[in-house]
Amino acid sequence: MRIDLHTHSSASDGTEPPGGVVASAAAAGLDVVALTDHDTTSGWAEAADAARAHGVALVRGTEVSALSRGVSVHLLSYLQDPAAPALADLVAQTREARLHRGRAIVERLSRDLPVTWDDVLAQQAPGTVVGRPHIADALVAAGLVADRSAAFADLLSARGRYYVPYYAPEAVEAVEAIRAAGGVPVFAHPGADGRGRIVPDAVIAELAEAGLAGLEVDHRDHGPEQRARLRALADRLGLLVTGSSDYHGTGKPNLLGEHTTAPEVLAEIERQGATPVVRA
Ligand code: AMP
Ligand code: ZN
Ligand code: FE
Ligand code: FE
């Protein structure tokens, strides 16, 4: 069983439509794939149809943006009820905040570079959850950078001068809202120190207290020390351990199935979740 529990489609910042991600998962030989677009469930229906068509099992999820004392925290919510109001309201607010923040970043960039918000809108379908990757696409289209990764390395870096943060709920509040919606919260890439600041063990312990179910340990943004630290912490706190690709189509080098999750971990996620895994 090959299980990859973290991917993005063009409902947020992946480059393939939701059905295309599922088709690619089938082609990559995966048995189970989770679609976890940022702050939305809008890709779920199309992905479910594709899962039935391609004979791949689909875990419906969302990568929920949050903050812990100003440090960015991404929480994978699996198998939640998409209509549950507390979580739906929370991510709706974040989508709004992402929009304002995207415009603010472009405003800063436009002082030095020929790029406008319309150029960013031209890179995405209406209703897409906007993020820095779409700004990167506008910079690529304008011939200012070679690809998304080059944009993130410099102009869009969280440590760069054009960066603007966005409002997101406190991580404890997000974990509670995910649980209230019947979702299973797993902390995405908690040790990704190349992206920006990361949270200390004490914050992960606090989130575990609030209902966190697991840690995404095997992820390309984690070096060996982070993996060892997180595996030990998961063991100490009684948290599940997952591994996933964080696939974004052609927008990132991450390949489907480059890291995977054990079947017994998925079984426990399914046991705790409010909605079933979609099976063909
Ligand atoms: P934002 O959510 O707006 O802060 O943008 C960060 C998101 O961009 C993260 O989810 C990254 O996974 C994603 N991303 C997509 N492509 C790339 C890339 N080539 N390099 C770095 N991050 C990327
Ligand atoms: Zn992303
Ligand atoms: Fe993330
Ligand atoms: Fe992600």
Side-chain angles (χ1 to χ4, degrees):
M1 278 262 272
R2 296 188 66 225
I3 302 166
D4 185 341
L5 294 182
H6 185 165
T7 73
H8 297 270
S9 76
S10 55
S12 63
D13 58 5
T15 58
E16 292 170 350
V21 172
V22 173
S24 294
L30 292 177
D31 301 290
V32 184
V33 67
L35 181 72
T36 53
D37 278 306
H38 298 281
D39 302 306
T40 186
T41 58
S42 71
W44 281 19
E46 183 186 316
D49 287 343
R52 291 183 197 102
H54 291 277
V56 178
L58 173 71
V59 174
R60 291 170 288 189
T62 301
E63 187 171 9
V64 177
S65 306
L67 291 166
S68 172
R69 299 172 193 100
V71 178
S72 171
V73 167
H74 286 178
L75 295 162
L76 295 159
S77 171
Y78 295 119
L79 304 174
Q80 76 270 23
D81 170 3
L87 182 57
D89 291 354
L90 214 75
V91 295
Q93 276 185 57
T94 304
R95 290 196 296 268
E96 191 64 27
R98 281 176 163 278
L99 200 57
H100 291 293
R101 172 268 202 153
R103 297 183 74 118
I105 292 177
V106 172
E107 166 65 36
R108 288 191 182 187
L109 286 165
S110 70
R111 291 176 204 154
D112 296 333
L113 298 162
V115 63
T116 67
W117 184 244
D118 280 341
D119 297 336
V120 177
L121 292 180
Q123 298 300 321
Q124 55 179 74
T128 304
V129 176
V130 70
R132 280 178 286 162
H134 304 104
I135 302 173
D137 291 345
L139 296 169
V140 173
L144 295 165
V145 293
D147 56 23
R148 282 186 176 186
S149 296
F152 270 88
D154 178 18
L155 294 172
L156 297 177
S157 162
R159 296 174 167 111
R161 62 200 173 98
Y162 302 110
Y163 185 77
V164 179
Y166 58 98
Y167 160 84
E170 269 301 310
V172 166
E173 191 194 336
V175 165
E176 288 169 354
I178 290 167
R179 282 293 190 185
V184 185
V186 171
F187 196 153
H189 48 73
D193 48 14
R195 297 178 178 219
R197 287 191 292 148
I198 59 172
V199 302
D201 291 4
V203 166
I204 296 178
E206 194 186 324
L207 296 177
E209 197 69 33
L212 187 70
L215 300 179
E216 185 183 56
V217 174
D218 293 311
H219 184 288
R220 78 153 61 203
D221 291 5
H222 291 160
E225 292 107 75
Q226 287 298 348
R227 290 185 206 199
R229 167 203 163 217
L230 293 166
R231 226 178 278 285
L233 192 59
D235 195 47
R236 177 158 78 73
L237 298 172
L239 296 170
L240 300 170
V241 166
T242 69
S244 298
S245 67
D246 205 352
Y247 178 70
H248 281 70
T250 57
K252 258 183 129 173
N254 309 33
L255 298 174
L256 284 164
E258 68 177 27
H259 295 292
T260 56
T261 295
E264 52 277 19
V265 171
L266 173 62
E268 180 57 24
I269 289 171
E270 191 168 10
R271 198 189 64 74
Q272 293 183 23
T275 57
V277 174
V278 178
R279 293 197 166 84

